Amino acid sequence: MRHQAIKVRLYPTTEQQEILAQHFGCSRWWWNYALNLCIGTYKETGKGLTQVALNKMLPGLKRQEETSWLGECYSQVLQATTLNLVTAYKNFFERRAKYPRFKAKKNRQSIQYPQSVKIVEGCLKFPGSVGVVSCKLHREIEGTIKTVTISQNPSGNYYAAILVELEGDYPTPHTNGKVAGIDLGLKEFAIVHDGIKTSKFANPRHLAKHERNLKRKQQKLARKITGSNSRNKARRLVARVHERVGNVRQDYLHKLSRKLVDDNQVIVVESLNTKGMVRNHNLAKAISDVGWGMFVNFLQYKLDHDGKVLVEIDRWFPSSKLCSKCHYQISELPLDVRAWTCPSCGTHHDRDENASQNIRAEGIRMLSVLGTRTAADGGDVSPKLGRKSKLTQSPVKSETA
């Protein structure tokens, strides 16, 4: 079985918005209460609370006069909140995420329905008091609906993330076909070399196009009185600009990743330390705007869906300093040097084009060493340089061409 998530826009009525706001508040309060209880219990006993122990507290809280309003929220929404908190703790202990944080009303709000959500005449029907909510189904929903997460952005828009279960598994990945090496950058978003030609894709600089509008709205927000209704309206205007920038960025990355996945069987990228790179205050805004991590995530799930392979080479591999012709490695190459000449063979290199060629060759070498691809498929392969690289998935077998 395989799973797929589809995000659709919701258009609740005024009455439904009030009900959702109440449910958001109940879920948020229970998250903060349970998180605070887990922290206190650990300090006192050195042990945490399980999902079962937390859920057993809910009936008692609903019977208390101070928290009786929890009973107006659909019970499984609160139980799903408990599950999400337990999962957050698990991710923290397995070093996949930071420690769970308390939720605030000003941020994105969400609740989850783990079952009993149906599609009725082009609308979503939720259990409990929410009822049937109008939505924009831009594609046919196939498979069995497992969970539906309703969210409200800071701009005030409502969305539903529908997780469906489909029959069958993803195609078995294989590596017979074109291999493309991608060098991600700021001047050019992506430089792609497929063994024959090198293609460059521009960096749209989405934030820069909206920066003037964003600055004007932020200045208006700063002049509003804290807690006033006019400040809340100004805050939503600022949030809409940020949402528009995010939507444009995602649209560009989705289209580019789809084009590259359709044209290639194997895609090789560098494993970039984005969190470390944004510590450079001169480049932090540009790096955050470009969306390298999001782009690699889009490539990953699209390749998995089509039975193709993504290879991530180590971030310390000297892709820019290595000559793609004779494999001579220079000692230093500052960021402001965009072209250089190899002292060994005399080949003149464009920095980014040379890096994309070396990234592709290193990916082919990795597949060849792991027994997943013949070296003849990629031509010349660079020697073992830099630190050890890793495949993002288990090695797959392929027939020798």
Side-chain angles (χ1 to χ4, degrees), residues 134-154:
S134 177
C135 64
K136 180 65 175 179
L137 294 177
H138 56 279
R139 67 177 67 182
E140 184 178 355
I141 306 297
E142 300 177 352
T144 304
I145 297 178
K146 303 300 290 184
T147 64
V148 177
T149 302
I150 301 179
S151 61
Q152 182 187 21
N153 287 352

Side-chain angles (χ1 to χ4, degrees), residues 80-278:
T81 303
T82 309
L83 176 60
N84 291 336
L85 178 60
V86 173
T87 303
Y89 265 108
K90 182 179 179 181
N91 291 335
F92 167 73
F93 289 122
E94 295 181 0
R95 298 184 177 182
R96 290 196 299 265
K98 294 183 179 180
Y99 193 83
R101 296 182 295 179
F102 292 97
K103 294 188 176 182
K105 186 177 181 180
K106 64 180 180 179
N107 298 329
R108 175 181 176 272
Q109 305 295 306
S110 67
I111 55 175
Q112 187 178 85
Y113 288 86
Q115 60 183 2
S116 303
V117 179
K118 301 178 182 179
I119 298 177
V120 178
E121 297 180 355
C123 301
L124 287 176
K125 183 179 180 181
F126 296 93
S129 57
V130 177
V132 180
V133 181
S134 177
C135 64
K136 180 65 175 179
L137 294 177
H138 56 279
R139 67 177 67 182
E140 184 178 355
I141 306 297
E142 300 177 352
T144 304
I145 297 178
K146 303 300 290 184
T147 64
V148 177
T149 302
I150 301 179
S151 61
Q152 182 187 21
N153 287 352
S155 62
N157 295 331
Y158 294 84
Y159 296 91
I162 307 172
L163 180 66
V164 297
E165 187 178 65
L166 303 173
E167 295 183 359
D169 297 325
Y170 288 119
T172 303
H174 64 88
T175 58
N176 291 333
K178 290 177 62 177
V179 181
I182 303 178
D183 178 55
L184 300 174
L186 294 177
K187 184 179 180 182
E188 303 286 345
F189 174 75
I191 297 88
V192 183
H193 183 72
D194 60 2
I196 301 175
K197 67 180 186 301
T198 302
S199 304
K200 294 186 178 182
F201 298 91
N203 180 7
R205 304 182 188 277
H206 305 289
L207 184 60
K209 297 177 181 178
H210 296 81
E211 205 160 19
R212 184 179 178 184
N213 183 29
L214 180 62
K215 177 182 178 181
R216 184 171 61 251
K217 287 182 169 53
Q218 286 176 331
Q219 288 174 338
K220 291 183 179 179
L221 173 62
R223 291 192 290 265
K224 303 297 182 181
I225 300 175
T226 303
S228 64
N229 190 36
S230 61
R231 180 178 175 83
N232 187 42
K233 291 181 180 179
R235 180 190 58 79
R236 288 197 173 189
L237 291 177
V238 173
R240 286 182 185 179
V241 179
H242 282 293
E243 184 178 8
R244 189 177 303 117
V245 174
N247 290 340
V248 173
R249 182 187 296 115
Q250 287 193 34
D251 180 72
Y252 178 78
L253 297 181
H254 270 302
K255 290 178 179 177
L256 179 57
S257 59
R258 171 47 59 193
K259 172 180 172 56
L260 295 176
V261 170
D262 289 343
D263 293 344
N264 302 280
Q265 182 64 31
V266 179
I267 294 180
V268 188
V269 297
E270 285 183 299
S271 176
L272 298 174
N273 181 19
T274 307
K275 290 184 179 179
M277 296 172 72
V278 295

